[in-house]
Amino acid sequence: MSTALDLSLIPPLGEPRPQPVPEVTETVLPSGLRVVVVPRPGVPLVELRLRVPFAATSARSAATHTARTAVLSGAVLLGTAAHDQTEIAQLLQGHGAELSVSADPDRLLLSTTLLPEGLAPVLGVLAELLTSAAYPNDQVEGERARVAERISIARSQPGVIARTALAARRYGAHPYALQLPSPDLVLAVRSTALRTLHRDRLVPAGSTLVLVGDLDPQAAIDAAGSALTEWSREGEAVTAPDVPAIAPGALEIVDRRGAVQSNIRLGGPAPGRTDPDLPAVRLANMVFGGYFSSRLVENIRERRGYTYSPRSSVDHLVASSSFLVEADVATEVTAPALLETQYELGRIALTPVTEAELDAARRYVLGSMALSTATHAGLASTLSALLGAGLPSDWLAEHQRALAEVTVEQVQDVARRYLAPSGLTAVVVGDADVITEPLRALGPVEVAAGEVEE
Amino acid sequence: MTAAGAELTLRHPVERFSLDNGLRVVLAPDRSVPVVAVSVFYDVGMRNEPEGRTGFAHLFEHMMFQGSAHVPKMEHARLVQAAGGTFNGSTHQDYTNYFEALPAEALERALFLEADRMAAPAITEENLRNQIDVVKEEIRVNVLNRPYGAFPWLQLPQIAFESFANTHDGYGSFVDLESSTVDDAADFFSTYYAPGNAVLCIGGDLDVAETEELVRRWFGPVPARPVPPLPPTGEPSPTGPRRGEVEDRLAPAPAVAVGWRVPDPVGDLDTYLGTVLLSELLSEGDASRLERRLIHDDRIAIAQSSYVGLFGDPFDVRDATLLTTQVHHPAAVGVDTVLAAVHEEIAKVAQDGVPADELARVQARTEAQLLRQADSVLGRTLGFAAAELIHGRAELAGELAARLAAVTPEQVQAAARGLDPDTAAVLELRATGGAK
């Protein structure tokens, strides 16, 4: 830059204004369902999240369970004893609502936005689905065929191929190794299996209902209590078994012939939500690659132009938390991009971050938490995830205080233990003919066949 | 306006003023959460690009993050993020925007950063070469290395429209990107990034008088430059059907997109609103016409969606634009079967009209979605800014729910009559050699 810089021009930050603390009212219904309500001013809307523990019980049953869960997520909306699928959708739509059902390796999540006057009727439709979803044979057949097609499409996406390969390598025989069910198993799912799965696993014990928005807490709890009285099935919440420790092993290349880009993925264990190491690891992650102002972005995007959006993150499942690194890079620079990524990982593991880097990361994490919980939808999703992980609703405030106290020494200590390249499992999806030899220069490599089994 | 309409109008007041250099400023205070959003919308988008410079509006968006007179490379990001804020920019058909959401105490910093790059971005050879590489990777990740990558937003316009403005690839060809020069960038900046060609919109926890003073302090010194005239993007309506196809070597299953020309969003907003609700009625959720017909009754599709505006936002485009229906279907189902069912469902609306209760449900759903978008300070601020730039009235963003609630079944029926199979543009995606 030609002009001399006068950074004194940059306006200083004013005094932070206090973030409003959410006022949480909660109760546990006789059925075991936990109901959490947060009144919020702002737009006249309510956000609803019902989270039901839905992990596979064992590695042996995981493939079938995942296939059935994928079909159940759509099929639960195919009608009830009293209303068909269209009527259910219409009953919700009249209140601005549309129920979406999604599954991950830990849970089933039913969520919607609704207009406040619709709270009681929408809870009524929810209760109807929970207690009398019909799973009509004919429609279930259609649903499973669509789910199988959608999985085939998902499996053609390079990001999905990479995620699937990394999970398989990191989790071995654990249910978390299965990111997507096989289309064959999906096509074999029958209505009777769905009814059984629904009866055994869609139970109130261990489930949480979160309501955030334009509502009165006690009235909302009463409305939930009376709408959901019938949902009282006995049953146990199932959470995933412990995750075995698996050593990283050689870099795996998944061949995708003719690919014009390679998808680099690294992953390893990270501290869980209650681990005192977590705040420091979250900040180490930010400095390394967690946001735009990070070392990884500066190096492989802004300095070298290898990639559009490199990033790292700390992700939590109930039985396992992960530190993950992702970069989609031009085929011809795959090995140099991995080299630079490993260099930055080694650097953060072995040398201290600066106070300025740590302070910037800290302010960003605190600021973005405040931004993401400033909306009804953001707060509802955050609370639902925290409660589902067994944490109290004031965990967020505790965590913010802990983040404020993390030191440079703590960041360096956890970076050495969690971010060092030697501890991470690595997968690269790309054109093996072009990328294998250069990648061998960095260490041992195994080449896997291109396509997933089918 | 009806009583119901008044309730649906967002309660946020809007203040407006202009600077001597022509910058238009909109303030939308809301002090309920200690967060502000700052956005600058420049009236230049993909449709303004000259021949031989496809993709330039977007490439230039990247250049605006490469530093400016008083801010070194990477420092823009650091100054926003280290204040606890987030930032981004995006290039659309008719505008390019830049925005930050930050804790309220960082407002002045954000204004300084936006003003500094409005005055003098760092357009250097090194930055330009670096960002051409980054943009090429963005195109690879979003288009070339991904099944259905550009479908249908880069390909359907080539069939539906005639003019260069409307048909060229807004992401740009690698040839055009690689041959771009620093002089091109400097010219583009000088022509289109004049303060008089921009709208600054600030929303959230702010004091109006204090903020006006800060805006004048930082943006006032940016020199005025001539403002280019708005390029015409409207086109005569099509008089016949058009059909094309693309091959996708990565896709495992075929897909089809149908685009119909719709009324002018700016010149004929009321008729346009009928079209917006028609797209919701056709495709939004399990109760919608096409979801029921294609997915559940006939089982000839895997997924379907309809939307107005190339990027799915009906209120941020000028004429000419499309209602697009997009269907992913199994290879065993012929594309003509899918098209016949789509046209038949639209013909039913055109002939029989829409029951009032069905439309009321669609309106309730649309209202909830608009409110949801407005719940975030940033979402609301971007909405006000786009409405000010495209429609000349930020207030419109707050009135949309009420305007949509007032749309009648007759208007939706009239919109359906406009979706004539004989003037539709059809793009088939053929899956050739994908996995499976």
Side-chain angles (χ1 to χ4, degrees):
Chain A
M1 205 154 309
S2 51
T3 13
L5 297 175
D6 179 8
L7 293 177
S8 64
L9 257 186
I10 294 166
L13 301 174
E15 276 299 300
R17 296 178 207 181
Q19 292 292 331
V21 179
E23 219 177 282
V24 177
T25 305
E26 62 172 290
T27 191
V28 177
L29 299 180
S31 62
L33 174 68
R34 186 170 173 193
V35 183
V36 173
V37 180
V38 183
R40 264 287 174 97
V43 298
L45 281 182
V46 172
E47 291 286 337
L48 177 156
R49 304 284 181 275
L50 175 66
R51 184 185 160 110
V52 182
F54 227 71
T57 48
S58 69
R60 223 155 41 85
S61 65
T64 311
H65 177 78
T66 314
R68 287 177 182 163
T69 303
V71 181
L72 181 138
S73 302
V76 69
L77 299 170
L78 293 175
T80 63
H83 296 102
D84 71 16
Q85 174 186 26
T86 301
E87 289 164 346
I88 292 284
Q90 289 173 343
L91 286 169
L92 294 167
Q93 191 187 39
H95 305 289
E98 181 185 330
L99 206 56
S100 90
V101 186
S102 67
D104 75 11
D106 287 326
R107 52 74 178 155
L108 205 63
L109 183 71
L110 291 83
S111 59
T112 188
T113 309
L114 58 132
L115 299 167
E117 45 73 28
L119 182 61
V122 167
L123 285 168
V125 175
L126 184 65
E128 191 182 319
L129 290 166
L130 291 167
T131 56
S132 77
Y135 300 104
N137 293 338
D138 182 47
Q139 279 136 285
V140 164
E141 268 176 40
E143 180 63 19
R144 69 188 193 189
R146 281 190 297 278
V147 170
E149 289 275 6
R150 284 179 194 149
I151 290 170
S152 300
I153 289 177
R155 284 186 173 203
S156 68
Q157 299 283 349
V160 175
I161 296 170
R163 191 168 69 234
T164 306
L166 183 64
R169 210 160 169 91
R170 283 194 57 217
Y171 294 114
H174 188 273
Y176 286 170
L178 269 176
Q179 291 281 306
L180 276 178
S182 96
D184 286 347
L185 284 177
V186 165
L187 288 171
V189 172
R190 294 174 176 280
S191 303
T192 45
L194 295 178
R195 290 187 201 107
T196 307
L197 182 63
H198 187 125
R199 190 190 61 226
D200 294 347
R201 299 296 306 277
L202 258 169
V203 296
S207 298
T208 50
L209 174 68
V210 172
L211 297 166
V212 175
D214 186 1
L215 35 72
D216 171 74
Q218 197 51 52
I221 283 180
D222 292 347
S226 62
L228 293 164
T229 27
E230 299 288 306
W231 188 40
S232 58
R233 245 178 247 107
E234 300 279 323
E236 290 275 314
V238 178
T239 51
D242 288 344
V243 171
I246 295 180
L251 166 72
E252 181 178 60
I253 294 175
V254 181
D255 188 17
R256 192 161 173 268
R257 210 160 302 158
V260 296
Q261 215 174 28
S262 298
N263 314 94
I264 298 174
R265 301 291 183 270
L266 306 171
R273 283 196 172 98
T274 54
D275 190 316
D277 279 345
L278 179 65
V281 170
R282 283 194 72 190
L283 295 173
N285 166 63
M286 298 311 297
V287 173
F288 167 74
Y291 66 153
F292 198 89
S293 307
S294 66
R295 295 173 173 191
L296 186 68
V297 173
E298 176 163 16
N299 184 335
I300 67 173
R301 172 180 156 130
E302 292 297 294
R303 200 176 310 145
R304 303 181 201 278
Y306 289 164
T307 173
Y308 171 54
S309 61
R311 59 212 165 267
S312 69
S313 59
V314 179
D315 285 2
H316 300 284
L317 289 170
V318 170
S320 164
S321 296
S322 299
F323 169 66
L324 296 167
V325 184
E326 309 182 5
D328 302 330
V329 307
T331 298
E332 62 272 22
V333 297
T334 303
L338 181 61
L339 169 70
E340 293 300 331
T341 304
Q342 288 177 335
Y343 161 75
E344 293 295 353
L345 287 165
R347 184 160 78 100
I348 201 166
L350 298 174
T351 62
V353 303
T354 66
E355 288 285 354
E357 282 178 309
L358 175 57
D359 286 342
R362 190 182 348 249
R363 281 195 87 132
Y364 178 77
V365 169
L366 292 171
S368 53
M369 277 166 77
L371 282 172
S372 67
T373 53
T375 60
H376 297 354
L379 181 62
S381 295
T382 301
L383 276 178
S384 177
L386 293 178
L387 299 172
L391 300 167
S393 50
D394 60 359
W395 180 85
L396 219 48
E398 283 294 325
H399 183 59
Q400 283 167 347
R401 275 192 287 278
L403 284 165
E405 287 164 9
V406 171
T407 64
V408 165
E409 290 71 31
Q410 286 168 330
V411 169
Q412 196 186 347
D413 172 50
V414 297
R416 197 177 59 247
R417 288 189 281 132
Y418 293 102
L419 272 62
S422 57
L424 301 176
T425 302
V427 166
V428 177
V429 178
D431 190 335
D433 284 350
V434 185
I435 64 178
T436 304
E437 276 319 301
L439 283 172
R440 279 192 207 284
L442 299 177
V445 161
E446 285 171 17
V447 181
E451 260 318 306
V452 274
E453 85 297 334
E454 238 168 81
Chain B
M1 192 175 289
T2 62
E7 272 171 41
L8 292 182
T9 302
L10 280 184
R11 295 181 286 260
H12 303 92
V14 169
E15 306 273 343
R16 186 191 277 101
F17 60 95
S18 293
L19 303 190
D20 291 342
N21 58 19
L23 179 68
R24 287 158 283 168
V25 185
V26 173
L27 305 182
D30 162 38
R31 314 211 66 165
S32 61
V33 196
V35 168
V36 287
V38 173
S39 64
V40 183
F41 279 51
Y42 292 93
D43 204 334
V44 54
M46 295 172 177
R47 292 206 267 208
N48 301 78
E49 291 161 351
E51 298 197 32
R53 281 291 160 266
T54 59
F56 205 82
H58 172 246
L59 175 62
F60 195 83
E61 176 212 321
H62 280 245
M63 291 302 291
M64 288 289 277
F65 288 97
Q66 294 298 302
S68 50
H70 302 93
V71 182
K73 184 175 163 95
M74 288 297 286
E75 204 59 29
H76 179 97
R78 285 195 188 108
L79 287 166
V80 173
Q81 295 190 319
T86 60
F87 69 90
N88 213 335
S90 62
T91 310
H92 299 244
Q93 283 186 286
D94 296 314
Y95 65 83
T96 307
N97 68 6
Y98 303 86
F99 50 86
E100 294 87 34
L102 327 89
E105 69 268 17
L107 171 62
E108 187 176 3
R109 177 177 286 190
L111 295 176
F112 160 79
L113 289 169
E114 287 299 349
D116 204 55
R117 63 178 166 182
M118 181 181 282
I123 304 173
T124 67
E125 183 67 26
E126 188 188 350
N127 286 342
L128 184 66
R129 292 301 134 207
N130 168 252
Q131 290 306 308
I132 288 170
D133 285 345
V134 170
V135 165
K136 282 164 64 183
E137 287 318 299
E138 180 178 353
I139 294 171
R140 287 192 176 113
V141 77
N142 286 334
V143 180
L144 302 174
N145 197 43
R146 164 187 291 186
Y148 313 101
F151 184 79
W153 76 275
L154 284 179
Q155 302 145 335
L156 182 60
Q158 295 172 19
I159 297 164
F161 296 107
E162 296 288 341
S163 69
F164 175 79
N166 287 323
T167 55
H168 75 267
D169 177 347
Y171 243 149
S173 75
F174 279 15
V175 171
D176 285 359
L177 289 171
E178 280 162 2
S179 62
S180 298
T181 65
V182 164
D183 284 348
D184 294 330
D187 285 349
F188 193 83
F189 173 76
S190 165
T191 308
Y192 292 111
Y193 278 65
N197 207 36
V199 166
L200 166 67
C201 182
I202 310 166
D205 188 6
L206 58 88
D207 175 88
V208 170
E210 204 178 292
T211 305
E212 177 167 350
E213 201 185 304
L214 292 177
V215 169
R216 290 187 185 282
R217 177 184 308 161
W218 292 110
F219 287 89
V222 181
R225 292 199 299 282
V227 174
L230 262 188
T233 51
E235 284 189 23
S237 286
T239 52
R242 305 152 197 225
R243 200 148 166 164
E245 59 179 51
V246 287
E247 286 197 3
D248 190 330
R249 288 186 306 108
L250 303 175
V256 61
V258 192
W260 294 268
R261 189 73 65 77
V262 299
D264 179 358
V266 179
D268 191 7
L269 179 62
D270 276 319
T271 313
Y272 185 75
L273 293 177
T275 310
V276 172
L277 283 180
L278 174 65
S279 75
E280 301 279 322
L281 179 106
L282 288 174
S283 289
E284 182 61 42
D286 280 338
S288 68
R289 301 277 182 117
L290 291 178
E291 185 80 8
R292 278 154 64 188
R293 173 72 188 269
L294 303 177
I295 310 272
H296 298 298
D297 293 347
D298 292 3
R299 294 191 193 164
I300 54 177
I302 304 159
Q304 61 77 34
S305 65
S306 299
Y307 47 91
V308 181
L310 214 50
F311 298 107
D313 182 348
F315 303 111
D316 81 341
V317 281
R318 299 193 175 106
D319 208 23
T321 193
L322 302 174
L323 186 157
T324 303
T325 291
Q326 181 178 335
V327 184
H328 290 255
H329 58 97
V333 175
V335 67
D336 288 326
T337 307
V338 175
L339 291 174
V342 169
H343 289 311
E344 202 178 298
E345 285 303 316
I346 291 166
K348 276 185 207 163
V349 180
Q351 279 152 27
D352 311 339
V354 178
D357 59 337
E358 184 181 358
L359 182 58
R361 286 193 303 267
V362 171
Q363 285 164 319
R365 175 81 186 129
T366 309
E367 181 195 337
Q369 289 309 308
L370 281 168
L371 287 169
R372 198 170 201 245
Q373 198 182 329
D375 187 27
S376 117
V377 176
L378 179 61
R380 199 162 63 229
T381 304
L382 296 176
F384 282 129
E388 181 74 14
L389 191 82
I390 301 291
H391 293 272
R393 274 190 75 240
E395 293 83 349
L396 179 66
E399 297 162 5
L400 279 174
R403 295 282 287 266
L404 286 162
V407 169
T408 63
E410 290 70 32
Q411 282 171 275
V412 177
Q413 184 175 15
R417 288 186 175 140
L419 306 194
D420 185 344
D422 293 333
T423 59
V426 173
L427 174 69
E428 278 179 64
L429 179 141
R430 292 179 50 227
T432 54
K436 184 106 198 283

